[in-house]
Amino acid sequence: MFKFKPKISALARISSEIRFSSQWIKASSSSNEDINVEKLFVDQEVQKLLTDLTEIDLEHKVFRPRRTSIQQRSHFALMTEERLEKTRERMREEARRFLQFVPVKEPREESVQILAQDSELKDFDTSKFVFTDITFDATDQDRTVVVREPDGTLRTANPEEHDRMNRTYYQKPNRPVNAPALFADPYLQNALDKNEHEFVLDWACWFYEPDDPSYIRLSQLVFDRINESGKFHVITSTRHFGPFTFFLALNDNIPKLLNYFGGLGRLADCANLVRLQKAVRPDWRVTIAQGDSDEKIVKDFIKQNARFRDHIGDLQAFISTGKVKSEHEAEKHFGLRERLGRVDKRRVRITSGNIRGNEGPLGELSDEYSVKVVKSEGTGGSDGAEKKEEGRGRGRWRSRDQNTDDKKKE
Amino acid sequence: MASLLPLIQTRGNTVNFFMRRSGPELWKTLTSVSKSGQKKGRRNTRQPVRPLNRFYRIGSSPMKVEFAGLNAPMRLNDENLMTIAEQTEDEIRDSMGGTKKILEEKDTGKKKRNREKLHPMERGFSGTQLVGQKLGAPPPVDGVNFDDFETYCLEVKRTSNMTNVFGRVHTMSALVVTGNGRGLAGYAVGKAPIHRTTTAIINGMGMASRKIFHVELHEGRTIYQDFYAECRNTRVFAQRRPRGFGLTCHPRLIKICEAIGIKDIYVKVEGSTKNYLALTHAFVTGLLNQETHQQLAERKGLHVVEMSPSRHFLPQIVASPISTELKTEETLEALDRLNLDDFYGEGRYPLRKPKALPFFSNLEGHLDARWRKHPFRNQESTMIRLIADNMVPRWTRDARAAWAEQRNERMTTGVEPMPLGIGLSHVVPKKDD
Amino acid sequence: MVFLLFSDFAVYEPHQVLEMRKLVIPKYFGRPSIGLALFGCTNRPFYHVCVFPDRALGRRYEGNILEQVGTFDPLPNQKNEKLVALNFGRLKYWIGERNAHISVPVLELLGLSGLFPIHPKSFIRAKDNRALIADQQLKAVAEAADAEKLNEEQVSSGATSTSHPQ
């Protein structure tokens, strides 16, 4: 019986590492081409910088209102401040789990291993035979898929065939056998015009393996388009922001992102981005000392990279004047779609803080009138529970009138 | 023979029994009902008085008599003051058929009035009846306009009351509810004499517009908490529901909720579902005894936090205590740690019956039909997949036949090789004889 | 108790011996066989590689299947591939431990997949196909030559015919 050896032989592996350029580096000013991108991405410092850059926006991004498959009603609870904080902290942990980065890997080799050559078998059939091993305890990556060509060669399947067989025999929802039409233009451009970058990338992540050449190509395409259009708000606070920033840093392409952060006034993020660039390209001209302040780092960067001057207008404006480009303007400019279309999103909750102020229920009249807060005798209350039991019951018609009588007594 | 008596006898009862009595007296024999007869329900079976004058034409008889001044013009000459002629055959026929003609022309008055057809969305609970239809705004009271208000009549019934003078007295009673769809509503029972249905409803509308109450709604569309309320033998379990759910409840309760402005709710009515007044009472009692989130926060001294499943249960503060102090972890009591849903239900839940299978589910014919459909269970998803992968431009018989034609052509011309091999039969060239 | 009875009767004539019916579990009796079971519909065959019980227990039909061990689609797909799925773990059990009898098509498939040596039938198929292809090529060449000849004749006759106006 033949034994299967799907793993690449040692010879083949050595030959892959002699390759010079990684698939992730498209345009680089650096002369050193020996970067191991995968190892660099997993580096402690790089990971820390990327996590710091990815802000956790619970309200508007990670836990924004989404359509669920079954409509369920909201749950209400009574909480103290501490309990509320604890719950929020737990939610942040959940969000961190959701914001795990998609792994950045080199595309796997298209090479196949030839297991047998039977020239006697030439033309036994006009089509290939693809054999998939459906043993129970095998994972998608571990599965054995071999192909017998019409000319008699028995070889392991190339990654594309391997993944296709996985999708055929181990079906998952939203993972059809052939790639969805969304991943190609013009449908891709349609989706990106509607600011659905996150959806496209999430689906691609579910559909493909991280080291699939198609996935790497698609994600890089989407990243490039985001960078071109400047619509960074679609990808902040998602799981793709880390790989995106890493990709930009590798290709020396950070001015637009810097500008975006500068426009919002996030100096710490700008500085982190510069540090990231330094960490990713250690042979850079700029040296960053340990104790440098954020502002100094950013100013040094601007000084030393004069060629980016036209792209970082907002950042320079912020540094010089401290003016922040309002988020509302940004949203209007990019046509952010209101997900649910509810008008009352900006309704302010009445608290003891603002009940007497301009933002409270009185609005501008609060200047003329003073607000006196009186405890309401409302129909609720612990007495209310008892009242309810008295007031109702069989044969009791005048339950409502009884209630009003009680109120009058009060 | 002339009589020797100096008096002349006059006889009133000249012709017959009928001529001796007046018209109304004779009609009374047909239409009158005794007291006991009325009790036994004989009132409606009596004949109506018919206008015989219409059919009686003076002078029309086989013996055509012409009275000058009556049915013939005045004749000044003395002769022929009364001429008698014979009716011709045509005239006899006409006179016989005349009555018939008049009766045909006459509108019997028992024909149904042709009411305008109602649009299905305008109909009430049943047909063209007023019960359940929208009845517009109530009339203004004391200068207060009810322009935004919509009224519905929930029930119209004929009630009886036994009195000592008149005996059984019947009245029309109408339960009317009115509301402006934004929290204000009112309901009342209007009464009017029998058969005055519209009067009863109008009375009810007026009374209801004077008995208005206000109900606070969460987000303007549903109740704040699930509640239980009962009145007489009608028990009402109401549960709040998410946006867009709709009104899943008793039809009368649907109208009441529309009047109040509730858009999403689930209500289970147990016990007597036909006692609409008790139903309304119970539901409104429960509604009025609700507590808004702000009141709850004040009472408990804690934040009221909403955790929505569409947001992965992220906590959002909905209400905070303003006039009372916020409690801390140390000052919390065991009672405060209750689940909010248990606060108001009194521990009661409606009976949940398992969904009943239709009666034919396990019959042989049905199971047979399901087995016959079994080979086609994946057809729809396959169709979607093929269209998505652009195998066929359109899913029509022609398009699919065209695809098969193309494939066949490619095989026969040799562009595509014929499928042969393991598991397939041999293909042998046809012998041309 | 039963055996005692048997031993008692063993001495006597055989026709007096009662034959007891032996109840067997099809799954564990005898030698199972692995073969292709035809499913699908008209003009569209599809095979499941199934394990059937010993032939002595009855013919093979759908209700008789012990276990499905794979699938085979004899018609090639859009990418001109014939898809075969085989559960090698279970196959190894049935073949190794239970000594299953394997039908020829399944043997061919196993040979092509590499688990078994290639079945002679595959070689025969290959040889026949090669012969057929060679024949077709010869025929095609011959036809091409004929067609050329015909063309030349037509051209020449056409030239002659055009020189004479009709």
Side-chain angles (χ1 to χ4, degrees):
Chain A
M1 279 203 269
F2 276 62
K3 268 202 235 164
F4 287 124
K5 283 213 187 91
K7 301 235 168 63
I8 303 163
S9 64
L11 259 170
R13 194 178 284 132
I14 290 171
S15 63
S16 72
E17 278 176 353
I18 294 173
R19 253 190 308 148
F20 284 114
S21 57
S22 146
Q23 275 287 4
W24 285 95
I25 302 175
K26 301 287 169 183
S28 146
S29 56
S30 161
S31 54
N32 187 4
E33 299 280 7
D34 262 357
I35 299 175
N36 187 345
V37 169
E38 292 181 25
K39 224 178 176 176
L40 191 59
F41 185 71
V42 182
D43 185 45
Q44 279 277 1
E45 206 195 319
V46 170
Q47 280 287 309
K48 186 176 175 305
L49 284 170
L50 289 174
T51 348
D52 288 339
L53 279 170
T54 316
E55 47 144 8
I56 306 180
D57 186 3
L58 297 177
E59 280 277 326
H60 300 293
K61 261 312 187 75
V62 187
F63 296 135
R64 66 176 186 274
R66 292 175 210 241
R67 276 197 308 267
T68 46
S69 51
I70 315 165
Q71 206 188 27
Q72 283 175 312
R73 64 184 202 175
S74 313
H75 175 72
F76 290 91
L78 290 166
M79 286 191 189
T80 56
E81 255 330 310
E82 292 118 354
R83 181 159 275 206
L84 190 64
E85 257 323 301
K86 263 198 233 164
T87 320
R88 281 218 184 99
E89 192 47 52
R90 249 190 296 139
M91 282 284 129
R92 245 172 256 126
E93 276 305 314
E94 272 285 297
R96 266 179 224 119
R97 197 172 64 84
F98 281 129
L99 293 177
Q100 280 177 2
F101 298 138
V102 180
V104 168
K105 297 187 84 86
E106 295 293 335
R108 63 189 156 194
E109 287 100 11
E110 299 277 344
S111 65
V112 294
Q113 186 194 8
I114 297 179
L115 301 169
Q117 292 261 26
D118 297 299
S119 48
E120 287 283 312
L121 263 185
K122 188 171 186 308
D123 288 333
F124 75 97
D125 200 301
T126 45
S127 36
K128 296 185 259 184
F129 272 71
V130 180
F131 294 92
T132 320
D133 177 17
I134 48 172
T135 317
F136 178 70
D137 54 354
T139 55
D140 270 358
Q141 279 109 12
D142 201 19
R143 209 152 270 136
T144 314
V145 180
V146 294
V147 176
R148 176 75 76 170
E149 303 273 356
D151 65 357
T153 4
L154 181 68
R155 59 171 179 84
T156 53
N158 56 36
E160 190 266 323
E161 284 166 358
H162 184 100
D163 284 342
R164 198 152 44 86
M165 288 304 115
N166 274 332
R167 291 200 296 269
T168 311
Y169 289 109
Y170 294 89
Q171 299 206 331
K172 289 189 189 159
N174 291 319
R175 203 174 78 148
V177 174
N178 300 324
L182 181 68
F183 293 159
D185 289 315
Y187 305 107
L188 181 64
Q189 192 50 48
N190 283 348
L192 300 186
D193 287 337
K194 287 190 271 187
N195 292 341
E196 286 183 0
H197 304 77
E198 193 195 344
F199 172 72
V200 173
L201 287 168
D202 278 342
W203 196 4
C205 182
W206 170 249
F207 187 83
Y208 291 114
E209 297 282 315
D211 54 2
D212 195 339
S214 324
Y215 172 69
I216 292 171
R217 234 178 294 130
L218 176 68
S219 55
Q220 284 178 1
L221 184 66
V222 178
F223 290 159
D224 284 331
R225 293 208 185 158
I226 293 175
N227 201 25
E228 273 171 51
S229 56
K231 294 183 187 176
F232 299 104
H233 61 272
V234 294
I235 210 180
T236 49
S237 197
T238 59
R239 60 210 285 234
H240 305 285
F241 192 66
F244 171 66
T245 330
F246 187 69
F247 176 65
L248 291 182
L250 273 180
N251 292 304
D252 294 338
N253 214 346
I254 54 171
K256 275 195 162 172
L257 190 56
L258 264 180
N259 191 35
Y260 173 73
F261 282 138
L264 293 173
R266 305 216 300 239
L267 204 57
D269 288 331
C270 293
N272 271 334
L273 197 53
V274 179
R275 287 196 194 101
L276 176 70
Q277 173 91 67
K278 175 70 183 159
V280 160
R281 295 272 185 202
D283 60 335
W284 226 12
R285 294 170 277 159
V286 177
T287 45
I288 299 180
Q290 278 295 327
D292 274 354
S293 83
D294 297 340
E295 224 182 309
K296 180 166 181 303
I297 293 174
V298 177
K299 283 196 178 144
D300 283 341
F301 177 81
I302 298 174
K303 245 191 292 171
Q304 296 198 348
N305 293 295
R307 62 183 187 280
F308 295 145
R309 218 180 297 134
D310 357 322
H311 295 295
I312 49 174
D314 285 340
L315 176 62
Q316 283 176 327
F318 174 69
I319 288 181
S320 45
T321 58
K323 195 182 83 161
V324 168
K325 190 173 171 187
S326 80
E327 217 172 289
H328 180 66
E329 267 181 42
E331 282 172 19
K332 219 170 33 162
H333 174 57
F334 294 121
L336 237 193
R337 208 163 40 118
E338 284 282 3
R339 284 279 164 162
L340 287 175
R342 262 193 272 171
V343 186
D344 57 356
K345 265 206 177 136
R346 309 254 181 231
R347 208 194 319 172
V348 178
R349 183 169 49 87
I350 304 169
T351 55
S352 51
N354 63 12
I355 195 167
R356 293 186 171 81
N358 262 1
E359 305 135 13
L362 282 183
E364 281 154 7
L365 290 174
S366 61
D367 300 330
E368 301 169 28
Y369 297 96
S370 59
V371 177
K372 178 184 168 196
V373 178
V374 168
K375 197 169 173 181
S376 74
E377 292 161 29
T379 47
S382 44
D383 322 316
E386 287 149 26
K387 259 194 258 164
K388 268 187 284 176
E389 305 207 25
E390 290 168 12
R392 263 186 275 107
R394 306 192 175 199
R396 295 258 180 176
W397 276 84
R398 306 174 71 244
S399 45
R400 234 183 54 226
D401 302 332
Q402 277 202 351
N403 250 340
T404 52
D405 286 339
D406 287 349
K407 270 214 252 187
K408 280 189 206 142
K409 277 190 228 150
E410 282 176 4
Chain B
M1 223 191 258
S3 76
L4 296 167
L5 295 169
L7 301 164
I8 302 172
Q9 274 183 331
T10 45
R11 266 200 81 175
N13 55 350
T14 337
V15 179
N16 52 32
F17 173 87
F18 294 102
M19 296 290 282
R20 275 178 248 138
R21 287 156 180 82
S22 66
E25 228 185 292
L26 289 171
W27 279 116
K28 243 190 167 178
T29 62
L30 287 179
T31 55
S32 69
V33 185
S34 64
K35 254 302 173 83
S36 58
Q38 280 183 23
K39 279 194 196 164
K40 294 180 190 170
R42 282 203 197 123
R43 225 181 321 175
N44 288 341
T45 51
R46 300 283 89 191
Q47 285 197 38
V49 174
R50 287 178 213 271
L52 293 175
N53 315 338
R54 288 189 59 195
F55 304 99
Y56 180 55
R57 278 181 21 237
I58 297 174
S60 72
S61 65
M63 196 172 79
K64 255 193 0 192
V65 186
E66 278 182 15
F67 297 101
L70 197 62
N71 60 348
M74 274 297 296
R75 275 179 270 258
L76 293 170
N77 41 353
D78 284 1
E79 33 181 277
N80 294 346
L81 277 172
M82 190 175 88
T83 51
I84 300 173
E86 266 198 38
Q87 268 189 338
T88 55
E89 282 192 25
D90 290 328
E91 281 171 349
I92 294 173
R93 240 184 285 126
D94 277 339
S95 65
M96 301 293 259
T99 331
K100 234 198 206 170
K101 252 193 273 179
I102 292 171
L103 280 174
E104 275 167 22
E105 282 165 34
K106 178 190 168 190
D107 188 13
T108 40
K110 289 286 181 183
K111 272 197 209 148
K112 281 194 192 155
R113 280 165 271 148
N114 281 332
R115 284 200 215 150
E116 282 174 26
K117 262 211 148 164
L118 283 175
H119 191 271
M121 298 306 286
E122 291 170 12
R123 289 186 207 138
F125 292 127
S126 159
T128 51
Q129 291 176 24
L130 271 180
V131 183
Q133 287 186 30
K134 284 195 183 160
L135 302 172
V141 170
D142 275 349
V144 177
N145 239 354
F146 290 108
D147 281 340
D148 295 336
F149 278 64
E150 190 65 69
T151 17
Y152 300 97
C153 173
L154 296 185
E155 182 194 26
V156 158
K157 53 187 181 185
R158 195 183 95 152
T159 55
S160 318
N161 183 27
M162 190 66 107
T163 53
N164 48 5
V165 176
F166 301 106
R168 208 167 274 127
V169 173
H170 299 278
T171 333
M172 297 307 283
S173 151
L175 173 62
V176 174
V177 74
T178 198
N180 77 343
R182 284 207 289 268
L184 286 173
Y187 69 96
V189 171
K191 296 197 173 197
I194 193 177
H195 294 319
R196 303 260 181 278
T197 321
T198 40
T199 321
I201 296 176
I202 290 165
N203 284 344
M205 267 212 275
M207 285 179 67
S209 58
R210 274 171 229 122
K211 294 172 78 181
I212 304 238
F213 53 86
H214 177 72
V215 167
E216 296 109 351
L217 299 172
H218 173 57
E219 290 176 9
R221 55 169 192 87
T222 192
I223 51 178
Y224 277 101
Q225 304 96 18
D226 307 341
F227 64 77
Y228 165 79
E230 61 182 10
C231 176
R232 290 189 157 237
N233 198 25
T234 312
R235 297 177 285 282
V236 164
F237 297 87
Q239 293 179 357
R240 64 183 166 86
R241 280 292 183 266
R243 184 180 297 271
F245 181 83
L247 299 167
T248 304
C249 48
H250 192 293
R252 266 73 183 174
L253 283 180
I254 292 180
K255 295 290 180 225
I256 298 175
C257 288
E258 279 178 19
I260 296 173
I262 296 175
K263 297 176 190 77
D264 313 294
I265 200 172
Y266 169 76
V267 184
K268 176 82 182 125
V269 179
E270 270 183 21
S272 160
T273 59
K274 296 233 172 73
N275 188 348
Y276 305 126
L277 188 53
L279 183 64
T280 327
H281 260 33
F283 189 62
V284 170
T285 314
L287 280 181
L288 291 176
N289 284 338
Q290 271 189 101
E291 210 177 15
T292 62
H293 289 318
Q294 190 64 47
Q295 287 167 348
L296 178 62
E298 306 271 349
R299 178 162 76 92
K300 282 280 154 182
L302 295 166
H303 292 295
V304 175
V305 171
E306 175 185 3
M307 290 178 289
S308 167
S310 70
R311 275 186 162 237
H312 199 78
F313 300 102
L314 180 73
Q316 308 265 76
I317 301 183
V318 173
S320 300
I322 297 178
S323 56
T324 48
E325 256 183 38
L326 189 65
K327 283 196 195 154
T328 50
E329 281 290 321
E330 298 93 38
T331 50
L332 267 190
E333 299 154 34
L335 194 66
D336 294 327
R337 291 186 207 276
L338 266 185
N339 190 5
L340 197 61
D341 283 336
D342 294 337
F343 266 34
Y344 305 91
E346 297 176 10
R348 287 178 192 259
Y349 294 94
L351 175 66
R352 288 196 76 167
K353 293 188 220 168
K355 193 159 186 195
L357 286 177
F359 68 94
F360 51 77
S361 296
N362 282 326
L363 295 182
E364 200 194 303
H366 179 72
L367 295 171
D368 197 40
R370 281 179 64 181
W371 183 245
R372 272 184 271 122
K373 279 206 287 186
H374 185 69
F376 309 99
R377 61 198 184 278
N378 282 331
Q379 262 191 0
E380 203 177 320
S381 53
T382 316
M383 167 186 84
I384 293 169
R385 191 38 46 201
L386 286 173
I387 298 174
D389 289 343
N390 261 324
M391 292 292 163
V392 184
R394 294 177 67 204
W395 195 258
T396 53
R397 277 184 229 164
D398 296 335
R400 281 145 63 205
W403 182 85
E405 260 305 313
Q406 284 172 13
R407 191 113 189 273
N408 191 32
E409 282 220 28
R410 270 185 270 139
M411 293 251 174
T412 43
T413 51
V415 175
E416 237 180 74
M418 192 84 82
L420 290 171
I422 309 170
L424 294 169
S425 43
H426 296 290
V427 174
V428 172
K430 224 179 192 178
K431 280 208 194 115
D432 302 313
D433 286 325
Chain C
M1 277 291 279
V2 182
F3 293 105
L4 281 171
L5 279 169
F6 262 121
S7 60
D8 283 339
F9 281 102
V11 193
Y12 294 91
E13 288 162 63
H15 72 263
Q16 281 182 353
V17 170
L18 294 162
E19 258 193 36
M20 296 263 294
R21 219 165 30 122
K22 249 204 301 193
L23 293 168
V24 292
I25 303 170
K27 205 169 163 190
Y28 299 108
F29 175 76
R31 206 180 162 206
S33 70
I34 303 177
L36 293 179
L38 175 62
F39 287 83
C41 62
T42 314
N43 294 329
R44 210 288 178 224
F46 186 86
Y47 294 98
H48 286 280
V49 183
C50 307
V51 180
F52 292 98
D54 195 309
R55 205 53 193 272
L57 297 175
R59 311 186 90 137
R60 305 145 89 216
Y61 58 96
E62 191 183 334
N64 226 359
I65 298 175
L66 294 179
E67 188 181 333
Q68 186 227 354
V69 181
T71 57
F72 167 50
D73 183 3
L75 297 181
N77 66 5
Q78 288 284 336
K79 300 199 169 73
N80 201 24
E81 299 159 347
K82 291 191 180 174
L83 302 181
V84 185
L86 294 166
N87 190 343
F88 288 116
R90 291 303 293 166
L91 270 173
K92 284 179 192 173
Y93 165 76
W94 286 109
I95 297 168
E97 284 214 30
R98 301 291 310 279
N99 187 23
H101 169 271
I102 315 179
S103 72
V104 169
V106 178
L107 276 175
E108 279 195 79
L109 285 175
L110 290 171
L112 289 173
S113 73
L115 190 70
F116 277 15
I118 300 171
H119 197 263
K121 189 135 183 222
S122 307
F123 287 124
I124 295 167
R125 234 187 256 274
K127 199 168 75 132
D128 288 341
N129 272 348
R130 280 196 292 256
L132 203 69
I133 290 169
D135 277 342
Q136 280 175 347
Q137 278 180 345
L138 279 174
K139 235 202 236 171
V141 164
E143 266 179 32
D146 283 340
E148 265 190 43
K149 253 198 221 166
L150 238 138
N151 255 344
E152 282 176 22
E153 276 173 26
Q154 269 190 358
V155 164
S156 56
S157 64
T160 46
S161 64
T162 44
S163 59
H164 296 288
Q166 281 165 358

